[in-house]
Amino acid sequence: MIEKLDAIGSQALKDLETAASLDRLEQVRISVLGKKGALSEVLKSLGAVSAEERPKIGAVANEWKRKIDAALELRKAQLDKAALDVQLAQERVDISLPARTPHRGALHPITQTTQRIIQVFSRIGFDVVTGPEVETDYLNFEAANIPADHPARDMQDTFFMGPGVVLRTHTTSVQMRMMRAQSWPVRILCPGAVYRSDSDATHSPMFHQIEGLWVDQNVKMSDLKGTLLFFAQELFGADAKIRLRPSYFPFVEPGAEVDVSCFQCRTKISPTCRVCKGSGWLEILGAGMVHPRLFDVAGYGEDYRSKNLTGFAFGLGIERIAMLLYGIPDLRLMFQGDVRFLNQF
Ligand code: PHE
């Protein structure tokens, strides 16, 4: 019996030493030490052995069991370590690789320009007011002194939404809403999208405007000029100049177009300047003194006549300012959503 045990034991040790996986290890364990394993089967016949032989055989069996347990443990540790080494090699992280930079969003040049302009005017007391883009014909046109048969309607190719309803062609409509809703003084800035049926490199059917309105007693043309000069110098540099050219808008009288000196040419006008085309001036906005008819619509008519209530208004296209500030050659680039373009701002 001892020979049998020795044979089983040494075979088991050999099998364990060469076991290539944890599964194989478990197979060997069960086949030797399991309930029906070889060692257990031998010990079942222990009853047939004489009383003095029995302890000897028991001791041999226990010794083999101990050796086999030790061998199991050793081999298991070796296999575990090998598996870990493989895993570590596979999952190796190269910490010297450059990190993947996350995609950061940025504010659209129109948003940035809008914010810059608002910042400038808020420093001199203008509040921002917004209104609807779908507007009544009345507030967009009639209230701003542009009656149905007025030729000035042709200046703004209108999108009609239905009888008496349009897509606003300027944010003058917001000024009219504001004045009808509250009393003077009014000092507001109205940014927002406006719509005109027009499309080329410098016109888009949807674009953005900021219009300003200041109504109070004794607001003068010189206040308008001073305000716009402040604005121009804040936006284009301290040496910027402005000039006013007489112009016509139905909602102001007198009206003017306002130019700012070319920030590219600075002191010496270059005949080949890309920005001003050699003129030295850039047209940036329309402005003027609020037409008295608008005060009647607003309910300010009495104060206009008895309290010297006056006001000025101005309006500018944000895309045009952004194109000038950032040197953008084509307006349409702003609406194509191309990240290669947008990432530059
Ligand atoms: N509403 C004018 C336009 O859209 C701009 C403007 C506003 C001109 C105020 C003069 C005074 O063209």
Side-chain angles (χ1 to χ4, degrees):
M1 243 177 120
I2 290 184
E3 273 158 38
K4 253 193 200 166
L5 288 175
D6 285 349
I8 292 168
S10 46
Q11 181 59 46
L13 290 187
K14 243 186 254 163
D15 288 348
L16 289 178
E17 233 168 76
T18 56
S21 69
L22 292 174
D23 281 349
R24 172 75 189 132
L25 218 56
E26 181 64 3
Q27 264 176 23
V28 175
R29 188 188 68 79
I30 292 170
S31 74
V32 182
L33 303 180
K35 244 188 220 156
K36 288 186 180 152
L39 208 64
S40 319
E41 290 297 328
V42 174
L43 293 178
K44 273 178 197 160
S45 49
L46 214 54
V49 176
S50 67
E52 66 257 35
E53 284 283 288
R54 224 177 280 160
K56 278 191 214 158
I57 295 173
V60 170
N62 276 337
E63 181 56 17
W64 276 118
K65 192 174 169 319
R66 197 191 57 72
K67 277 187 185 162
I68 291 169
D69 278 341
L72 262 168
E73 210 155 298
L74 178 72
R75 188 63 189 146
K76 183 170 180 309
Q78 286 171 347
L79 288 174
D80 281 347
K81 181 173 181 308
L84 186 64
D85 285 346
V86 168
Q87 195 187 5
L88 285 178
Q90 276 172 354
E91 294 177 6
R92 186 167 151 268
V93 174
D94 183 352
I95 56 167
S96 69
L97 282 175
R100 234 171 282 163
T101 41
H103 246 299
R104 278 262 212 102
L107 292 178
H108 194 280
I110 292 174
T111 308
Q112 289 188 35
T113 307
T114 307
Q115 289 180 351
R116 272 176 76 174
I117 296 171
I118 288 175
Q119 228 169 23
V120 171
F121 281 104
S122 62
R123 285 174 50 202
I124 49 173
F126 282 79
D127 292 325
V128 172
V129 177
T130 56
E133 293 171 24
V134 177
E135 187 55 278
T136 60
D137 183 288
Y138 176 75
L139 284 170
N140 192 84
F141 290 120
E142 298 276 329
N145 196 28
I146 315 175
D149 56 358
H150 199 289
R153 288 205 176 201
D154 289 345
M155 285 161 66
Q156 308 183 348
D157 302 293
T158 311
F159 289 110
F160 292 93
M161 301 294 284
V165 182
V166 301
L167 288 179
R168 69 180 178 197
T169 61
H170 50 190
T171 56
T172 305
S173 55
V174 183
Q175 304 181 353
M176 299 318 297
R177 281 175 174 272
M178 185 69 184
M179 282 201 287
R180 292 200 327 160
Q182 66 164 61
S183 184
W184 55 272
V186 174
R187 204 187 308 177
I188 55 171
L189 215 52
C190 309
V194 299
Y195 300 84
R196 294 179 198 179
S197 180
D198 211 348
S199 187
D200 59 36
T202 54
H203 295 87
S204 152
M206 186 278 299
F207 62 102
H208 298 79
Q209 261 194 341
I210 289 192
E211 294 208 353
L213 174 71
W214 187 342
V215 177
D216 206 341
Q217 285 173 295
N218 299 313
V219 172
K220 297 181 293 294
M221 191 89 183
S222 54
D223 295 317
L224 170 62
K225 207 175 166 187
T227 302
L228 294 179
L229 181 63
F230 169 76
F231 163 69
Q233 294 185 338
E234 287 294 308
L235 208 64
F236 295 105
D239 57 351
K241 297 186 216 11
I242 59 166
R243 75 175 181 191
L244 275 63
R245 286 178 287 109
S247 185
Y248 173 73
F249 302 96
F251 27 87
V252 289
E253 180 58 37
E257 258 160 26
V258 181
D259 301 339
V260 63
S261 53
C262 178
F263 53 85
Q264 185 75 35
C265 293
R266 297 278 166 194
T267 46
K268 207 166 133 257
I269 296 167
S270 154
T272 55
C273 175
R274 279 180 310 106
V275 181
C276 68
K277 313 233 158 50
S279 74
W281 294 98
L282 306 162
E283 185 190 328
I284 55 165
L285 50 82
M289 301 305 290
V290 178
H291 197 289
R293 291 237 177 95
L294 274 62
F295 289 145
D296 284 331
V297 171
Y300 298 177
E302 208 40 59
D303 293 339
Y304 163 72
R305 278 175 277 275
S306 63
K307 295 186 179 160
N308 208 16
L309 188 73
T310 51
F312 68 66
F314 59 87
L316 56 84
I318 296 168
E319 280 80 354
R320 167 139 178 88
I321 302 282
M323 287 172 79
L324 288 173
L325 282 177
Y326 298 116
I328 299 166
D330 191 323
L331 175 67
R332 289 167 290 202
L333 285 166
M334 302 224 219
F335 304 113
Q336 285 163 351
D338 187 332
V339 288
R340 290 170 304 180
F341 169 75
L342 295 170
N343 275 343
Q344 298 175 54
F345 303 96

